[in-house]
Each structure stands twice: as C-alpha cells, then as structure tokens.
Amino acid sequence: MGKYSRTSQRALSEALEAPDPQNLAKFLGRLPTIFNVVMFSPHGYFVQSDVLGLPDTGGQVVYILDQVRALEEELLRIKQQGLNVKPHILVVTRLIPDARGTKCNQEWEPINNTKHSTILRIPFRTEKGILNQWVSRFGIYPYLERFAQDATAKILETMEGKPGLIIGNYTDGNLVASIMAAKLGITQATIAHALEKTKYDDSDVKWKELDPKYHFSCQFTADAISMNAADFIITSTYQEIARSKDRPGQYESQTAFTLPGLYRVVSGINLFNPKFNIAAPRADQSVYFPYTEGLKRLTSFHPAIEELLYTKQDNNEHIGFLADRKKPIIFSMARLDIVKNISGLTEWFEKNKRLKSLVNLVFVTGFFNPSESKDREEMAEIKKMHALIEKYQLKGQIRWIAAQNDRNRNGGLYRCIADSKGAFVQPAIYEAFGLTFIEAMNCGLPTFATNQGGPAEINVDGVLGFHIDPNNGESRNKIADFFEKCRNDSHYWNRISKAGLERINEWKVI
C-alpha cells in the first residue's frame, strides 16, 4: 500500500470517528475528483463534419467525439448525485490556417450534442511563425514540443487551473499528453489507436530506409515514452496488447526491438502491468442500425444512394458503373493507403472469375485525382487504382465512390448494400480495430475481415462472418464460396447476418 493510500485511509478514519467539518474537508480534499478533462489529437483535420476522407482523418475523429459525449454524460450523472460541479472537456488539436474549406482555422468549436465540451485549436509555430499548411502524421514531430508548451499555457488559462485528466490519442497526441502531464503532475491516459510498428513489416530493422518517408525513429521513440509514462492505457481488443495465433500484439511488438545504429530496446513495456484496459469502441446505434428496422430508415436518402450506386455517368463523386445491378455487392470503405489495401481487394476481384461472375465491387475511398491529395502514399494508391481499372477493364463491374462525409447517409448506404444481399470486406494488411467493420455488422451486413489485428477477435470465422488473410490471395475464394452458397441456399445469408448482429450485442460495442 502506498503512502497516498495510507494517508487517505487515515483521513477517512478520522472523518468517521470525529465527523466534524475540518476532518470531512480534509478527507474530501484527498479524493481524486476529475471534472476537467483534456484530450489531445493534433494530426489531421479535426472537425465535426465534412472532413472524413481528408488526409490522416478518419475513424479516430469519430471515436474521440463519441468518447467526449459519453464522458460528459457520465460526468453529468455524477453531478446529479449532489456534487456542485460543472464538467469541462477540451479536445485540443492543431489549428490549420490553410483549412481547405473546413473549420480547422477556427480556434474554438463547440462540440455538437454536448453542453460543456469544446474543440480548442492551437497552431504549429516555428522560428518563422505559424505553419499554414497541413502536415502528415509522420512528419509532425518537429512541431510537437512547442505545440505542447503553447497548448499547456492556453489550457491553464481556459480552465483557470490544471485539468484532472489528460488523454492522448495516437502517437502525436500521446507524446504531447506525456509532456504536459509530466510538467503539471496530472493523471495521464494513453490510447494508441494503432501502433505503426505492427503495420509495416520489419519497420524497425529497416528504419533507415523508411525514415525519410515515415520517420519511424521518432514515432517508435515517442510511443515508448508515452506508453511507459501513462498511468493507464486503453485498448480496443486483447490482441492490441498481446499476440494472436499468427501475429504479435501491438504493444507486445514494443517489448524488445532494435533500430540498428540508433538504439536497442530490451524492456520496452510490461504487458502484465494492470494499467492496460480493454474498452471496445462503439458504433452509433442511432446511425448504424439493422437494415430490417424499416421504420427507422431515412427514406429521404434513398434517391441519393440509388444515384451513388447505380447511375452510369462518371462525375466528381463516383466513377465506374455496375452493368448488372441484380448482382449482390461486396463493399468496402477506408482511407486509400497501402495498409488499408483497397487496391489489393481490387486485384483479388479481378483475378477470380468466379467472384466476378457472382458479385459487383463497390468501395468508398479517397479522391479520384492525385493532385487533390497532399499525402504521397495516397497519391500513389490513387494512380495504382486507375491503372488497375484501366488494365483489367473493370468499368461495368466496379464502382469507385469518393470519400463520404455524411454519417447518416453512410448508414443508409450500408443498409442498401444489405438489401442487395451483399457483404462488407475489410482487407487491411493490419487493422487494430476497424470501426467500419463494426458499423457494417451493426447494419446487418455479413463481414469478411482481416485476420491481422483486432477484427479477428470479434469475428468468429465461418459462424457470424469470415476471416481473410490479406497476404494470401486464396482468401478471395472464401468470398466467392460464400456468395455461391447464398445462391444455392436462400437462408444462408440471413443466418450469417443474424449471427453477426447477435455478436455485436454480445460484444457490447453499441
């Protein structure tokens, strides 16, 4: 038992034995009451709407905003017990003057459907002044120390004192949280979302080769600092901590590794430390609900979704068309980068004649024009996708839809895919959790999810969905086998769909 605990117990004993105002105030003064909370998420375009699909901007934004609403609700519930307090939650991100039509150039933004939560944006500063343009999450490290200093000063001014809890998100947010928590002596939580070390094979031993593009030497060092400094760590699945059958866990990969010529880690993190906690994200059930719940479905979206899926003319929102709209649809939605592997899914589709004869392929991802992106990896993947479609003459069997920002319409899109008796495919080379996978299951879509990461922990292969190996092209036969079986057994699709919905409720992610 620590000194703090013994002192608190003595104060409690004195308050119970002699319940005078002085002893009671002494005891209550030692209780860790947390009502002022700060969350850090510096990278990307952190705005509440019209940004999903922009570089480095995806599920993390949705996750944090949902987290804020749930946390505020809990703090207000505690207030109802009689404590005269007002919660205050700040999400601190980067202010980007070149905001591309978003609100990223606004210092303050109240968070929708909350009373006491706000986005605060702090600019990156250099010796030459404020940095105007977006910066990749891989190139963000030179700016973080100054950002942490500026953010700390603004937070202390805004909250008129220290917050009770700091929560970091992803490597950059966790590093900034570590700097501020160490300076002010505040409880720190770490949420990795995805440790890049497990996404890129041999990224430690090849760090010199990869560093000009990804700056892994900075990233792995920052991760080691924050995960060891944190008072507690939140993960989405057990696999995020420790190994699955075929792959080490994300944090497990940090226990021992070498960056040749730089340093060697022999004891990076203690996986048995009780500060690890598993709390799976949820999908918003008011948006992502089963396709069978007809009375809840927003029919006003149906004409737009019909146009999005089936019209033949290319425009700035979709290219390609589906010549046979009677076929079911295999559907995917993700950022257009190497790890998400949308181009790999496209190649699977082209190389399996049986699969092409059974289904259409539709995916929502990125931009059509490489010049619209500022991310080098995304630009390369855009060019690759165009080359694949042209080389294999896939127009007529494939629909490429640009990134969609309207969550309610996206929920309707999932359900319309379910109406076609289609399926959702998450082909990522590695996926820590995968919110789109959960959204699809929530809507009743059978799912094919990567066996490399957290989804394999939720998805029971062959029972309520299917595991696929992104590194083995034979997995495309698994998708074809499913649709062939659905064609021969009219009840099979419904059984898998129903089992997935039951699993979602059992997993308590909604």
Side-chain angles (χ1 to χ4, degrees), residues 110 171 175 185 191 199 270 283 310 353 381 413 472 495 508:
T171 302
L175 182 60
I191 304 175
K199 289 184 178 182
N270 177 11
Y310 294 116
K353 292 182 179 180
E381 285 295 293
L413 182 57
N472 183 354
R495 287 201 299 272
K508 302 185 188 302

Side-chain angles (χ1 to χ4, degrees), residues 256-510:
F257 64 94
T258 299
L259 302 183
L262 189 61
Y263 62 72
R264 174 180 294 177
V265 174
V266 296
S267 182
I269 184 68
N270 177 11
L271 299 179
F272 299 97
N273 194 309
K275 68 182 178 182
F276 281 101
N277 301 270
I278 299 174
R282 66 174 189 171
D284 187 339
Q285 202 173 10
S286 67
V287 176
Y288 305 103
F289 54 84
Y291 75 102
T292 52
E293 296 185 13
L295 294 177
K296 291 176 65 176
R297 294 182 66 164
L298 300 173
T299 55
S300 59
F301 283 123
H302 288 185
I305 293 173
E306 172 81 9
E307 193 277 338
L308 201 62
L309 287 173
Y310 294 116
T311 56
K312 288 191 175 182
Q313 294 77 24
D314 290 353
N315 58 29
N316 59 4
E317 197 171 22
H318 51 73
I319 59 176
F321 65 95
L322 308 180
D324 184 356
R325 60 177 295 169
K326 293 181 180 179
K327 288 182 182 179
I329 291 170
I330 56 173
F331 178 60
S332 195
M333 184 186 300
R335 292 193 313 273
L336 194 52
D337 61 29
I338 293 172
V339 172
K340 295 300 184 182
N341 198 31
I342 296 295
S343 60
L345 175 61
T346 305
E347 290 184 284
W348 278 9
F349 178 74
E350 191 286 323
K351 292 178 180 179
N352 191 304
K353 292 182 179 180
R354 185 164 60 105
L355 184 60
K356 286 171 67 177
S357 71
L358 290 166
V359 298
N360 292 313
L361 173 60
V362 174
F363 46 82
V364 175
T365 184
F367 304 101
F368 304 140
N369 189 336
S371 65
E372 293 183 70
S373 176
K374 296 183 179 180
D375 184 280
R376 287 175 294 179
E377 189 172 293
E378 183 180 35
M379 292 167 69
E381 285 295 293
I382 293 171
K383 293 175 183 177
K384 183 177 181 179
M385 288 298 299
H386 283 295
L388 289 172
I389 293 170
E390 183 66 26
K391 178 180 179 180
Y392 298 116
Q393 297 296 298
L394 292 176
K395 287 188 177 182
Q397 299 169 295
I398 198 169
R399 183 73 143 192
W400 179 358
I401 302 173
Q404 299 294 298
N405 298 317
D406 190 324
R407 294 177 70 196
N408 287 296
R409 192 168 79 164
N410 286 346
L413 182 57
Y414 283 121
R415 287 184 286 274
C416 285
I417 303 295
D419 291 336
S420 84
K421 299 300 181 184
F424 183 82
V425 182
Q426 186 197 57
I429 294 170
Y430 183 84
E431 186 65 70
F433 185 75
L435 201 53
T436 53
F437 156 70
I438 294 299
E439 292 168 355
M441 288 184 76
N442 243 29
C443 294
L445 272 172
T447 53
F448 292 80
T450 179
N451 63 359
Q452 304 297 312
E457 196 169 314
I458 303 167
N459 201 359
V460 181
D461 189 33
V463 178
L464 52 87
F466 303 89
H467 296 172
I468 53 175
D469 184 350
N471 300 306
N472 183 354
E474 291 305 308
S475 285
R476 58 183 177 256
N477 287 324
K478 208 171 196 178
I479 304 174
D481 290 344
F482 168 76
F483 283 102
E484 203 160 65
K485 191 168 183 178
C486 289
R487 188 171 62 178
N488 297 327
D489 179 354
S490 61
H491 301 292
Y492 184 60
W493 189 95
N494 289 329
R495 287 201 299 272
I496 299 296
S497 172
K498 183 180 179 181
L501 287 168
E502 290 173 352
R503 177 61 165 166
I504 281 290
N505 287 301
E506 173 189 305
W507 192 257
K508 302 185 188 302
V509 294
I510 56 176

